[in-house]
Amino acid sequence: MAVDLVKADGGWVIKCSDAGSVGGLTRGSGAGVTIPSAKDVMDFLTAVDSASSGRRYYFTRSDGAPIKAYPSDRKRGSIVIERSAGNWVRLSPSDAADLRMKLTRLS
């Protein structure tokens, strides 16, 4: 798998091959979780760190959307970042580290 951070509408979208939406897994569909502004980058960094260490992390994006990050119950060692009632991405440990590095460059 690979994770990418794509510029979109003044923010970024976290894209990953292991992603989905309310309807379930949508590999290769382009589903992702949006980071609407630079103000949200630190929360996403904390979310990656918390979920990677086995803790759940909840926060509200600057646009009001609730986000949760947690260890995956389906793939050991992976984490999930999910927009409440919306898209999600599941990241392997190496993808999470890659995303963290990309987010650090933005902050």
Side-chain angles (χ1 to χ4, degrees):
M1 283 186 291
V3 65
D4 203 5
L5 205 52
V6 179
K7 186 82 171 138
D9 297 325
W12 302 269
V13 177
I14 303 168
K15 299 253 184 182
C16 182
S17 59
D18 196 358
S21 63
V22 177
L25 184 65
T26 54
R27 289 183 193 267
S29 71
V33 175
T34 302
I35 303 172
S37 75
K39 294 182 279 184
D40 298 303
V41 171
M42 290 306 294
D43 278 322
F44 275 90
L45 275 168
T46 304
V48 170
D49 289 346
S50 295
S52 295
S53 65
R55 296 184 322 264
R56 291 180 166 267
Y57 184 76
Y58 302 90
F59 69 98
T60 303
R61 289 188 320 207
S62 60
D63 65 354
I67 301 290
K68 57 185 171 180
Y70 50 91
S72 175
D73 59 348
R74 296 190 188 267
K75 291 191 177 181
R76 188 174 206 93
S78 295
I79 67 169
V80 177
I81 301 174
E82 176 182 341
R83 180 176 162 254
S84 183
N87 292 348
W88 55 269
V89 292
R90 183 172 26 236
L91 305 170
S92 68
S94 62
D95 285 343
D98 189 31
L99 176 61
R100 190 183 196 300
M101 186 172 57
K102 291 174 181 182
L103 289 172
T104 301
R105 290 181 187 148
L106 295 177
S107 60

